[in-house]
Amino acid sequence: MNPRPWQLQRNLSFPSALAKGNFVVIVETMRRRANSKADLNFPPIRPKITYPSSHAITENVEELTGRLNSGGSTVRDSSVESVSVLLPDWEVLMIVSPGSVVNSGERLWCLYANNATSKAIFAGVLPSTNQTTFKCWFPESARRRKMFLQPVLLTRSPEKEKSSEAAPIMIKWRFMAYESFSTEDDVVLFVKGVNNRQGINRSPSDFKCVFGNNGVKTAVTSSTQEVFRCPHPNLTEVDSGGDDERLQIKVSLEISGENLVVPSVAYYTPPSTIALPRRKSLLCACTMVYNAAKFLREWVTYHSKIGVDRFILYDNDSDDDLQTVVKDLNQEGYAMETLLWIWPKTQEAGFSHGAVYVNDSCTWMMYTDVDEFIFAPNWNNSEHPSDQMLKSLLPDTAKSSSSKQRHHHHRIGQVSFSCNEFGPSDQKQHPVEGVTQGYTCRRQEENRHKSIVLLDAIDHSLLNVIHHFGLKENYRSKQVRMEVGLVNHYKYQTWPEFKSKFRRRVSAYVVDWRKASNPNSKDRTPGLGFEPIEPKGWAHKFCEVRDERLKLLTQAWFGNQTSNGLKMAWQR
């Protein structure tokens, strides 16, 4: 596969103003009356869109740019109405506006204010709004302006087109409302750039949720991390911009004291359109993935056999064969669901979304990554896996329910497991037989904890620290002893795998490994500097204890002897 255009210069850094969180341009532009129609005036119709099948269209951007010097007509019929977001590393996300149509197989371009161009590459469909998205490489010549204007999405070669200076300012990913989810009782709005520091959240009284073109407002009841909750609006008061009852309504967050509405690409779904409850599974698993296709089959096969009924994947903009693997697993009988979660560094928000998204269809949720495997040492005595193994590590739900009235404050709402962190184990490339077979040497000290949480026990704020949630007042967490259950975390893999993973650190509150800040953080990898350069002796690092317990267990459960030796069930 050819590289995406925006992957050609990944080492470029954000402008210093963005790196410091300086949003003067946005604030000054958006500082207008919060209830004005201009703040939320986006076409509200659900799109009817098809999209190109190729993910790997490349173009010589300099050649296209050179064609524009001769001038041309202003963009008209060839443009597709869209909203753009400036992402890290000079990626531009183009979200096709509801009501616009893109024909199947059509090639698209982004045309910038200085008439520079780049090819638009299909990036996926947003599940909440069914909007098609594309990504463009932001040409270096277009970055020289003081204000970054939104590019135009074109359906034909831009050689005769000219950009307009009247375009709105591009939304910056660091300050925007990006997603919304409606529960039966309220609206959950996801907003980046308001609560920026871990553990420090502004008061709900500082905000209002704003709906529709006429800016109908409701009070914010919770403000935690990137999650804000507020009551549903009175739909009879909301101007959705059209007569169709299926129209979607723009939603954003007003910062009351600043008379400012946060730029938004989020839509509100009224409760009348919420899907009917689904069959409830006892145990589900939720994770966020990026290019995890090669790891997924092993992780799903193993955890399904020991008790996970359903898997929910938040796809953080993968460009590998993830969807093909998911489709194959579904056809083989595994219950898999994938949601495009394209937003950078929003893992906590994604997990909060998952907690409300499947609350009607899952009782307990396992929050682990695809390189983390829960197991109990006494399972080595079992010849075969059982779908009750994981569930046996959870509280007795029937007993908990019967004693609810007498000991409600003692009810367990979260079960946490300590992690053993495994190193590269002398591997030079990804082990085709799987991570449980290839990585067998770990650190002595345990680190971190991963959890299985009762969804009904999660606090209203949806607060979580990556894999742990805050609980309601009448619930508590239980720490499982390592002799009973633990997590094998295959954290430090071969250098190519490790570099890819840590370049894409997805937590909003984990420091970027490429920045020389907070060098003593536990999120820092020992011996790793600030550059993506393989440390000397990487393949032998973090090897203090040889631990083959899960390797031998999975061999017994999933290994098959062939003429070419032992083959694991997930090998293809």
Side-chain angles (χ1 to χ4, degrees), residues 294-312:
K294 69 176 69 172
F295 310 103
L296 190 61
R297 180 174 288 277
E298 179 182 12
W299 185 77
V300 168
T301 301
Y302 173 81
H303 285 100
S304 175
K305 297 302 181 184
I306 62 173
V308 174
D309 303 313
R310 180 177 165 216
F311 298 85
I312 299 94

Side-chain angles (χ1 to χ4, degrees), residues 162-351:
K162 241 185 179 180
S163 184
S164 170
E165 293 290 341
I169 295 174
M170 200 181 323
I171 298 173
K172 276 49 169 204
W173 78 284
R174 292 176 180 264
F175 186 63
M176 62 181 292
Y178 56 90
E179 190 62 76
S180 170
F181 183 85
S182 293
T183 72
E184 182 179 351
D185 300 318
D186 66 356
V187 182
V188 185
L189 183 63
F190 298 86
V191 183
K192 181 172 280 293
V194 177
N195 294 324
N196 286 316
R197 297 178 61 187
Q198 187 170 11
I200 300 177
N201 302 294
R202 295 180 61 173
S203 170
S205 62
D206 290 347
F207 310 105
K208 299 283 187 183
C209 286
V210 188
F211 301 86
N213 290 340
N214 57 338
V216 172
K217 303 174 187 178
T218 63
V220 170
T221 61
S222 177
S223 161
T224 303
Q225 297 174 325
E226 296 179 8
V227 180
F228 299 81
R229 305 190 74 157
C230 52
H232 293 284
N234 184 340
L235 286 178
T236 62
E237 299 176 358
V238 177
D239 175 13
S240 62
D243 299 325
D244 192 331
E245 63 180 9
R246 295 171 300 173
L247 297 185
Q248 289 185 312
I249 299 166
K250 203 72 179 183
V251 58
S252 190
L253 187 73
E254 176 192 278
I255 305 176
S256 303
E258 302 176 26
N259 196 27
L260 170 67
V261 173
V262 177
S264 177
V265 296
Y267 285 90
Y268 163 68
T269 302
S272 59
T273 62
I274 297 175
L276 294 175
R278 294 168 282 188
R279 183 179 67 85
K280 204 154 191 172
S281 301
L282 178 60
L283 178 58
C284 301
C286 179
T287 191
M288 189 167 288
V289 295
Y290 168 71
N291 286 359
K294 69 176 69 172
F295 310 103
L296 190 61
R297 180 174 288 277
E298 179 182 12
W299 185 77
V300 168
T301 301
Y302 173 81
H303 285 100
S304 175
K305 297 302 181 184
I306 62 173
V308 174
D309 303 313
R310 180 177 165 216
F311 298 85
I312 299 94
L313 311 180
Y314 281 74
D315 178 8
N316 196 217
D317 195 25
S318 299
D319 58 4
D320 61 354
D321 294 326
L322 179 71
Q323 293 305 322
T324 300
V325 175
V326 169
K327 180 180 178 181
D328 290 344
L329 288 169
N330 270 319
Q331 291 178 344
E332 293 168 23
Y334 297 97
M336 308 282 298
E337 183 175 358
T338 305
L339 289 84
L340 177 65
W341 192 262
I342 205 166
W343 318 112
K345 288 185 74 66
T346 54
Q347 186 176 31
E348 291 88 354
F351 285 173

Side-chain angles (χ1 to χ4, degrees), residues 141-171:
S141 62
R143 305 174 205 161
R144 299 167 186 166
R145 294 177 165 244
K146 293 183 179 179
M147 294 188 299
F148 296 151
L149 302 182
Q150 294 200 23
V152 178
L153 191 61
L154 299 176
T155 59
R156 69 184 183 194
S157 178
E159 54 190 8
K160 293 183 179 181
E161 306 287 7
K162 241 185 179 180
S163 184
S164 170
E165 293 290 341
I169 295 174
M170 200 181 323
I171 298 173

